[in-house]
Structure formats: C-alpha cells, structure tokens
C-alpha cells in the first residue's frame, strides 16, 4: 500500500496544526459557530445528537495492521471503546470530546492517517473495490489511480467550497464492487484494443432525495489526462452547480438539467484549455505510485490446498463460512476473507477496540498485515493462504466476526440512524436487528441466497437504500418514526433504483413485512432464481398485494 | 484608515469599494481616488469610467470572468466577492482571469475573507485580501503559511507536486 514520504507527512502534519488552531480559536470565541461548522466538517467533525462524531478517512478502504491498532487505541482512549465502519469505507467515532479531536488527529498522523475531507462540501474520500489488487476478475488495479486522485483532491484550492459534497469511485474489475454508477463521478478503468489503460467516465449518479444512475460522458479518456479532465468536470460543477437550494446542489441535478450530452460538451470546452497542461500525469508519477501496489511475494502454491478441501468436506459449518465469506483470489492457493461485522444484536459495521486489535493480529499472522474495509461495512483480509483458512475461521469466531452471511439477507447495510445521527427521521439499527432476529435460521438464509437489505434513517441515504434489493427508509410522520419499503434496487454494473411499494409501516411491523415479501419470493422463484431477479420478472405488484392485504401499513 | 493585505504586507487600502444601491441603482462616483465599481456599473458607464481613470471592477460570485476577459487592460485592479466563504465560485473566476486571460494586475478578495480561507484564495491567484473588518488582519496574514506543500498545481504554483517531488 501507499507509504508517505516527507511531503505527504508534512501536509498531514500541517493540517493537524491548522485544525488545532481552528479548534482553539473556536473555543476562545474567535470563530463563530457558523464559521467553524464548515471548517470542522472539512475535517470530518460533526456535532451529533449526543456528542461530536469524528469520521476518519480510510482512503479507498485500505489499512495496515498498525493503522488498525491505532483505530483501536482511539476507540479506547477517546471514545467508548468502539468505532463504526461506514458505507464509504471510512470509520466514525461517536463520542470524542471536541477538545480531544486535535490530539486524535495528531495520533492518526503518526500512522499516516487523517480525517481530511471526510465531510463538507468538498471532494470526499475516493472509494473503490474492497478486493482491489487481489480480485480474480480484476482488469486493472484501481488503487494507484485512487491514490493519484487522493493527492490531487487533497486541499484542492479551487474546489474547497463546492455547491455540495462530491464523491468519486473507481472500479477496475469486471464486476463493479465500487458502485460507481451512484457516485458524482464514477471511473471505470478500461483497456482499449491496443492494450492501453484508460478510463470511462460517468457523472451525475447519486442517491439521496433524487436518486439517479450516472451517465457516461466520456467513454475513453487516455490515462495521462485523468487529472486535467477531473479539473474540467469540477470547474464546470463549481461554477454552475446550484447553490440556492441544498437539495438541488449535487452535480446530478446540474447534469440532469443540462442533459448529460450538454454537460459533457461543456466539460470538453473547458478541458481543451487544461489538457496537456502541467497537471498532465507523467509516466514517472504513474510508475512511482504504482510501485506501492505491486503484488506481494506470493508463495507458489497448488490451487487447491488438500487439507483445506478436507476440512471443507468434513466440517459443514466451515464449508458454509467458506461459501459465503471467502472470495476468489487471483493468486492460486490464496483467498480473500470477509470478516462479517453483521452479527445479530450488534449494530452493522460496529467494531470494538478489542476486536480491532484482534483483527490487526490476524492480519499480521495471516494476511501480510493488510486489512480492507468494504462499502458493505465489513472487513477483509486480502492475502490469506487457503491452508490457513481454517485457522482464520476459528479465530474469527472468537472475535465474533465469523457470521457466515456475506451477501445474505442478514448482511444488512445500515446507517447509524436516529440512535446517533442528528439528521435522522427514524432509527435504523433496531430495524436491522429486528429483521436479523426474525431470520435466524441459517439453513433458510442460505436457501434464500443473495439478498441485499439496505436501511437509511433519512433521505440522505447513507445506507444506500435505493440500491438495496430491499430498501428501507425511515420517514417522519407527524413526529413519529415510520418506514418506507422499496424493492428491486441493484448496485454494480447493472445498477438500478428500487421502487417504493406503498405507504409506510411502523417499526414493529417491519420484520413481518419483510417475511411476507420473502414468502412471495419463495413461492414464485423458478429454480435458483435470485430474489431481485424475481422482483424484476414479476414487478412489485404481487409483493405489494401480499403486504398490504395484511393491513400492516399506515397511510 | 482601512488596512489590507497585499503581497503578504499589511498596508493601507488605497481603493474605495463601490456597491450597487439596494434597488440596483448606481452610486455617484467620487471625483478622485481609486475606486472599485460593480461589473454592472462598468458595463453601463464604460466611457465615463475610462475618461475618469484609476478604477477597478468587482465581480459578484454569480458573475463570470468571461464578461471582462477582453477588458482586463483597463482595470487598475479586479476584485472578486465572497458573499460567504462557502461560496467557492470566485475561486474558479480567479483562476480563469489569471491562467486563461493572462491578468497580471492586483486581484483582490473581498467579502467573507479571513484566516482560514486566504491560502486557498492565494493559491487561486489572489494577491490582495480585504480581510473582514471584525477579524484580526495580523492573524489572517499567518493563514498564508498554514501549508507550505501542495499536491496539485494551482495558479500560484502551476506544477503539481509530482513534477517537483525529488
Ligand atoms: S441516512 Fe440520514 S440518518 Fe442515516 S446516517 Fe445518513 S444522514 Fe444520518
């Protein structure tokens, strides 16, 4: 992974000093609340329902064991012994005291971490595939490009105060695990017929109040021009994005208003002036950054480890875990393991200091000291030898991270919601738990197969409910909490937005509603048809009929 | 006297900022002394202003650098307004004036200008900062040194770090 040199370290250190000074001036009354708010947000610091919340950046989801231990230290020293991994591959701490934040940032800087641009109306942490560099279906490793974008976007002076937040995602594999079509800019790394690397650029995707799937505005961008093209897109957005209404300020509204064709043409006009300028990437820089992401020294191993296969054959519980939580590796004899942070009764994405320390130890022992964060809020050990899988499983069980449910109904993506977030209309964590408790039979879960449930506590859609096969959205009705259900969303290459089935439900009704929906699926599926394919085939009508026949809804 | 930061020095402000009346009307211009007039006034009173001399023009955040690109030779200075510091449109206007239209004269930030934004402004090509009167201008000046290294190229240093990293 990328390692800072003196330049990188200096920039982070100077940010720590700057934020320390800003906090001091705020506490001394020299900065007003209104002035400090945008400044602290640009450093990931919110003032939440009960306390501040600090969001720490995990650039494109990549961590080393030292950094994971630092996160454990922060949870232990400054917080209530846990952190929460988010749908943008970052980690949030829910209870730090404002006065301690400068010191937390100083601690983070000692392991090359920071909270830069994890919130605010600026370019946020660039996200990517959690299996980058190891995926069996990878075309180009996205991480060097993510790092190049990270550096370009860090304190970009022209784009520090955009109309609204701005999120970039990069995918380099056949399958799109980075959800690039629901980002402000989605970058797909492609190769042309000559074998050269370039990019296809999508703009204007996003969830929130007005969910839109991004449009392709540039099918082929030669790699050296990546940054000048991004400059052009951002400049058009900075100048012409709406600033009069925060609900209409995202780039997707501008792209929609102009049409993607006209927006793309405007970007081209701007780009003509920037192209081939000093920001054009050099081969030397691409090589410098890429060398941090070369393959580790893999051992030459047989593709199928005999002891591993034997354990799988004789231990059904292990086999089950392998089926769900082990991902195909490009290197024979290796695997990527997903540690499930979706155990029933624990808020999805939460990890304690002890668990983080244990994950760091696991990664040192079995995964070359590397850990990844997925946007589904799980952790990944990317370099596990097949021969070690059984041992990793045993240890993951001890930590409580071995629930064999990756991609299944109980692997729920869920925002912090009303328990923590001051923007929430409704709680989301108890909804996830209610569903997990209802579906507690593992055989049944395996039988149901792939099923994404996504829960957001408000229209900001941090739980990405629009792209859940089943989406659940908290809504406010006369001061009480209700939940709207939608069906048929998808992430990935064939991203689609879910359709709302009708009036919303009370919290208590949700597990039953989900059960009714699942029953319709089970009765209607043909062969091994997935839930979302059945929804596509039948439409939402039969689900709607069943659910509302029972009069569970509120109108 | 009002102080202003110019070229990293705190100096006396030599220019009077003229704003539009609440009803959009143009103010009477003082007979002498340097003035900065709103874009609309420049467009409406072009000949009179050229005859008077010693004037600059200022752009609101929703006005565009393109509208004065052909005229930059006439201005003693150009000012760009930040009605609130979170309105970043004039960062782009500043870069266009410098990088694309070749403006070399004084480029002044006016409005919500204080310590925590002036380095961003400087990087986009501003060289004069009319710090908000209720903020400490000496403190604000220090903001120019909050960072000494930058990743991306900008107007003050067009070369990105990767072309300078050695
Ligand atoms: S979706 Fe709403 S409630 Fe949930 S974390 Fe985001 S802003 Fe908060």
């Amino acid at each position: 992974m990328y390692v800072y040199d003196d330049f990188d370290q200096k920039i982070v250190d100077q940010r720590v000093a700057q934020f320390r000074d800003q906090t001091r001036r705020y506490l001394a009354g020299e900065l007003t609340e209104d002035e400090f708010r945008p400044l602290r947000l640009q450093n990931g610091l919110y003032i939440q329902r009960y306390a501040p919340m600090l969001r720490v950046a995990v650039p494109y989801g990549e961590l080393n064991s030292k950094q994971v231990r630092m996160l454990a230290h922060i949870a232990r020293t400054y917080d209530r012994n846990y952190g929460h991994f988010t749908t943008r591959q970052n980690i949030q701490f829910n209870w730090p005291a404002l006065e301690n934040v400068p010191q937390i940032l100083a601690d983070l800087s000692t392991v090359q971490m920071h909270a830069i641009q994890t919130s605010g109306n600026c370019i946020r942490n660039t996200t990517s595939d959690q299996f980058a560099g190891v995926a069996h279906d990878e075309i180009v490793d996205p991480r060097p490009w993510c790092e190049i974008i990270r550096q370009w976007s860090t304190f970009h002076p022209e784009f520090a105060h955009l109309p609204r937040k701005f999120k970039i995602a990069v995918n380099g594999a056949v399958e799109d695990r980075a959800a690039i079509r629901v980002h402000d800019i989605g970058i797909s790394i492609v190769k042309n017929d000559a074998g050269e690397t370039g990019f296809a650029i999508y703009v204007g995707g996003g969830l929130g109040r007005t969910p839109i799937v991004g449009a392709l505005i540039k099918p082929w961008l030669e790699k050296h021009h990546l940054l000048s093209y991004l400059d052009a897109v951002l400049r058009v957005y900075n100048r012409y994005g709406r600033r009069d209404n925060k609900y209409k300020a995202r780039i997707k509204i501008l792209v929609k208003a102009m049409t993607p064709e006209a927006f793309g043409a405007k970007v081209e006009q701007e780009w003509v002036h920037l192209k081939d300028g000093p920001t054009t990437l050099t081969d030397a820089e691409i090589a410098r950054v890429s060398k941090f992401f070369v393959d580790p020294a893999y051992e030459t191993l047989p593709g199928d480890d005999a002891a591993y296969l034997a354990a799988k054959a004789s231990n059904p519980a292990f086999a089950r875990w392998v089926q769900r939580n082990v991902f195909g590796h490009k290197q024979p004899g290796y695997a990527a393991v997903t540690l499930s942070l979706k155990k029933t009764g624990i808020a999805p994405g939460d990890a304690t200091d002890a668990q983080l320390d244990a994950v760091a130890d696991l990664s040192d022992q079995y995964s070359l000291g590397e850990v990844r964060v997925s946007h589904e809020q799980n952790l990944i050990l990317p370099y596990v030898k097949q021969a070690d899988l059984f041992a990793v499983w045993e240890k993951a069980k001890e930590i409580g991270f071995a629930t064999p449910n990756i991609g299944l109904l109980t692997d729920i993506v869920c925002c912090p919601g009303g328990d923590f977030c001051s923007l929430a209309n409704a709680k989301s964590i108890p909804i996830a738990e209610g569903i997990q408790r209802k579906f507690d039979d593992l055989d049944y879960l395996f039988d149901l197969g792939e099923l994404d449930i996504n829960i957001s506590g408000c229209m900001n859609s941090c739980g990405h409910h629009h792209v859940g096969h089943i989406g659940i959205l908290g809504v406010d009705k006369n001061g009480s909490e209700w939940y709207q259900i939608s069906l048929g969303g998808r992430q990935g290459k064939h991203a689609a937005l879910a359709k709302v089935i009708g009036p919303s439900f009370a919290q208590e009704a949700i597990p039953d509603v989900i059960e009714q929906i699942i029953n319709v699926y089970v009765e209607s599926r043909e062969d091994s048809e997935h839930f979302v394919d059945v929804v596509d085939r039948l439409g939402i009508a039969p689900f709607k009929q069943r659910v509302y026949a029972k009069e569970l809804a509120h109108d | 006297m009002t102080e202003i930061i110019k070229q990293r020095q705190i100096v006396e402000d030599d220019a009077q900022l003229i704003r539009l009346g609440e009803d959009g009307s143009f103010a009477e211009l003082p007979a002498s002394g340097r003035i900065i007039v709103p874009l609309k006034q420049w467009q409406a009173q072009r000949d009179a202003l050229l005859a008077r001399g010693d004037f600059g023009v200022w752009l609101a955040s929703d006005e565009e650098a393109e509208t004065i690109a052909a005229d930059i030779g006439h201005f003693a200075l150009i000012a760009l307004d930040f009605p609130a510091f979170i309105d970043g449109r004039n960062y782009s206007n500043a870069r266009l004036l410098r990088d694309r239209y070749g403006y070399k004269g004084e480029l002044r930030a006016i409005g919500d200008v204080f310590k925590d934004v002036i380095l961003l402004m400087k990087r986009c090509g501003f060289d004069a900062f009319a710090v908000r009167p209720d903020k400490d201008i000496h403190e604000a000046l220090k903001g120019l040194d909050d960072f000494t290294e930058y990743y991306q190229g900008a107007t003050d240093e067009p070369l990105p770090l990767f072309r300078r990293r050695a």
Side-chain angles (χ1 to χ4, degrees):
Chain A
M1 63 190 281
Y2 189 73
V3 180
Y4 285 8
D5 67 8
D6 291 346
F7 290 106
D8 302 292
Q9 189 65 46
K10 192 166 193 179
I11 288 170
V12 168
D13 290 346
Q14 290 183 333
R15 177 54 170 151
V16 173
Q18 184 190 41
F19 191 75
R20 200 184 280 282
D21 175 61
Q22 288 171 341
T23 306
R24 179 192 62 72
R25 282 183 289 136
Y26 169 68
L27 293 172
E30 292 167 36
L31 281 172
T32 65
E33 183 58 48
D34 280 350
E35 287 161 358
F36 188 51
R37 187 184 314 112
L39 300 174
R40 64 170 160 74
L41 283 175
Q42 301 235 332
N43 217 7
L45 185 64
Y46 288 75
I47 303 297
Q48 284 291 30
R49 197 151 274 208
Y50 305 109
M53 181 274 276
L54 177 68
R55 185 181 295 148
V56 173
V58 181
Y60 38 96
E62 202 168 45
L63 290 165
N64 61 36
S65 56
K66 215 170 142 186
Q67 293 173 325
V68 176
R69 283 194 189 89
M70 177 55 77
L71 297 176
H73 155 80
I74 286 163
R76 196 160 43 236
T77 313
Y78 304 101
D79 206 281
R80 299 188 181 172
N81 299 301
Y82 71 98
H84 170 79
F85 289 98
T86 77
T87 53
R88 302 209 67 258
Q89 301 181 297
N90 292 320
I91 183 168
Q92 295 176 179
F93 294 101
N94 281 312
W95 307 96
L98 173 61
E99 308 79 70
N100 286 335
V101 172
Q103 193 51 45
I104 296 176
L105 297 175
D107 289 359
L108 286 168
S109 71
T110 64
V111 294
Q112 312 193 344
M113 292 187 81
H114 58 74
I116 294 165
Q117 289 165 217
T118 52
S119 183
N121 295 334
C122 51
I123 304 170
R124 303 285 189 86
N125 183 26
T126 296
T127 52
S128 190
D129 182 357
Q130 68 270 27
F131 297 117
V134 302
H136 58 85
D137 65 340
E138 189 161 276
I139 304 159
V140 177
D141 188 345
R143 293 172 300 166
W145 301 103
C146 290
E147 178 59 27
I148 284 169
I149 294 169
R150 183 191 76 81
Q151 299 194 12
W152 160 82
S153 63
T154 297
F155 304 127
H156 197 307
E158 187 178 346
F159 308 130
H161 295 289
L162 295 168
R164 203 72 179 83
K165 57 188 169 187
F166 202 92
K167 301 173 179 178
I168 302 177
V170 186
N171 178 48
V174 174
E175 189 49 50
D176 170 20
R177 284 173 292 269
I180 65 165
R181 303 286 300 274
V182 292
H183 281 76
D184 296 286
I185 294 181
I187 300 177
S188 174
I189 314 177
V190 289
K191 289 210 168 183
N192 67 7
D193 293 341
E196 295 159 335
T197 297
F199 309 100
I201 308 285
Y202 295 82
V203 296
L207 301 174
R209 201 168 285 251
T210 315
I212 298 179
V213 174
L216 180 65
I217 60 162
K218 186 97 180 152
W220 174 257
L221 175 65
E222 203 274 329
K223 64 182 178 184
H224 297 96
H225 300 301
L226 177 64
L227 299 184
S228 61
Y229 192 81
L230 292 179
D231 270 327
V233 174
L234 266 295
R235 180 171 286 174
V236 171
Y237 171 55
N238 188 43
R239 301 187 76 196
Y240 303 110
R242 285 182 64 171
R243 290 174 186 261
D244 58 329
N245 178 342
K246 81 171 199 173
Y247 299 117
K248 298 198 178 338
R250 294 289 290 271
I251 194 174
K252 63 191 172 188
I253 304 290
L254 178 66
V255 173
K256 196 174 163 203
M258 291 176 75
T259 76
E261 295 70 34
F263 180 85
K266 188 91 184 157
V267 170
E268 290 291 322
Q269 272 172 29
E270 184 60 42
W271 187 47
V272 166
H273 298 281
L274 304 174
K275 190 171 182 263
D276 298 316
T279 204
T280 307
L281 281 162
T282 59
D283 286 333
E285 174 66 358
I286 295 169
R288 183 189 76 87
V289 177
S290 297
K291 79 169 191 299
F292 291 105
F293 301 99
V294 296
D295 282 345
Y298 287 119
E299 291 173 37
T300 308
L301 299 169
D304 286 305
D305 182 78
Y308 156 67
L309 291 181
K312 221 165 54 163
S314 64
N315 188 329
F318 175 59
R320 218 170 223 176
W321 177 78
V322 169
Q323 190 187 337
R324 295 313 323 175
N325 297 36
V326 172
F327 183 79
H329 206 284
K330 68 177 188 187
Q331 180 71 18
Y334 283 80
V337 167
T338 301
L339 301 170
S340 171
L341 273 58
K342 307 297 177 65
K343 189 178 166 157
T344 300
I346 309 284
D350 276 12
T352 66
D353 60 329
Q355 287 174 317
L356 289 167
D357 276 335
V359 167
D361 292 346
L362 261 186
S363 80
D364 277 340
Q365 199 175 348
Y366 298 109
S367 184
L368 307 175
E370 259 202 47
V371 177
R372 306 282 179 79
V373 186
S374 72
H375 77 268
E376 288 94 355
Q377 307 173 283
N378 292 308
L379 295 176
I380 284 96
L381 301 174
Y383 300 111
V384 181
K385 284 187 228 165
Q386 280 183 350
D388 291 333
L389 282 170
F390 194 81
V392 168
W393 177 59
E394 299 262 83
K395 295 201 173 160
K397 278 194 293 185
E398 285 167 27
I399 309 172
F401 282 173
T403 312
N405 64 348
I406 301 307
L408 300 182
L409 184 149
T410 54
D411 182 11
I412 296 173
V413 172
C414 178
C415 81
D419 291 297
F420 297 100
C421 175
S422 51
L423 303 171
N425 284 328
K427 293 191 194 63
S428 50
I429 295 168
I431 303 299
E433 185 176 344
I435 297 168
Q436 287 170 329
R437 292 209 184 281
K438 182 105 200 171
F439 292 87
D440 60 352
D441 178 345
L442 209 48
D443 289 324
Y444 189 50
L445 284 176
F446 268 71
D447 176 61
L448 294 176
E450 310 255 322
L451 213 163
D452 297 346
I453 297 186
N454 292 57
I455 308 176
S456 303
C458 79
M459 258 308 177
N460 283 320
S461 316
C462 303
H464 301 172
H465 63 277
H466 298 293
V467 290
H469 302 157
I470 299 177
I472 303 178
L473 167 67
V475 291
D476 174 87
K477 289 202 173 174
N478 308 320
S480 58
E481 302 184 358
W482 292 84
Y483 296 89
Q484 195 178 67
I485 307 283
S486 52
L487 296 178
R490 283 177 197 260
Q491 51 179 8
K493 277 246 148 73
H494 306 287
L497 302 169
K499 293 192 187 69
V500 176
I501 61 168
S504 51
F505 303 92
Q507 176 179 336
E508 312 78 65
I510 295 294
D512 288 335
V513 170
I514 302 299
E515 188 178 40
Q516 295 300 324
I517 290 169
I518 297 299
N519 287 345
V520 175
Y521 159 62
V522 171
E523 292 158 23
S524 323
R525 69 178 161 186
E526 293 169 0
D527 304 324
S528 56
E529 204 178 11
H530 284 167
F531 174 83
V532 68
D533 295 327
V534 172
V535 176
D536 275 0
R537 178 164 58 80
L538 299 179
I540 60 174
F543 297 92
K544 201 167 159 169
Q545 233 167 24
R546 178 77 56 95
V547 164
Y548 291 102
K550 284 199 69 186
E551 295 281 321
L552 298 166
H554 164 90
D555 40 32
Chain B
M1 95 178 178
T2 312
E3 290 184 316
I4 186 169
I5 299 173
K6 272 194 201 183
Q7 312 274 5
R8 290 187 160 264
Q9 302 294 319
I10 295 172
V11 296
E12 191 178 338
D13 187 2
D14 58 347
Q16 185 186 344
L17 183 72
I18 312 280
R19 291 197 177 260
L20 289 173
E22 293 215 340
D23 54 354
S25 62
F26 299 131
E28 194 81 24
L29 300 179
S32 65
R34 178 165 293 185
I35 52 172
I36 318 172
V37 301
L39 172 67
K40 288 199 176 71
Q41 195 156 9
W42 156 244
Q43 289 168 331
Q45 303 177 354
R46 185 183 174 100
D47 293 340
L49 280 160
L50 288 173
R52 179 193 183 278
D54 202 18
F55 70 98
V57 68
W58 67 269
L59 266 52
S61 62
D62 60 353
E63 292 170 337
E64 299 184 7
E66 287 82 348
T67 55
I68 54 169
D71 297 328
I72 52 176
H74 298 305
F75 308 134
L77 78 163
I78 298 173
L80 301 176
D81 188 33
F82 291 83
F85 74 93
I86 55 169
D87 182 344
R89 283 175 284 191
N90 265 329
Y91 291 122
S92 290
N93 273 335
R95 296 205 61 188
L96 288 168
L97 287 170
R98 291 281 197 221
D99 302 348
R100 189 158 310 161
Y101 303 119
Y103 177 66
K104 298 274 191 307
E106 177 183 327
L107 188 57
R108 177 183 293 203
I110 59 173
D112 198 8
V113 180
F114 59 106
K115 181 178 188 180
D116 303 281
V117 286
I118 72 171
L119 180 56
L120 299 169
M121 292 167 174
K122 180 213 158 218
R123 295 221 60 212
C124 290
F126 291 94
D127 57 357
F129 309 92
V131 175
R132 246 170 58 193
D134 61 323
K135 294 282 183 190
D136 181 345
I137 195 168
H138 297 271
E139 186 74 17
L141 179 59
K142 291 186 206 154
L144 288 176
D145 299 315
D146 276 354
F147 290 90
T148 55
E149 284 299 343
Y150 320 106
Y151 282 120
Q152 60 300 105
T155 301
D156 64 339
E157 169 54 270
L159 296 185
L161 181 59
F162 64 78
R163 287 181 188 271
R164 292 178 284 117
R165 218 190 264 262

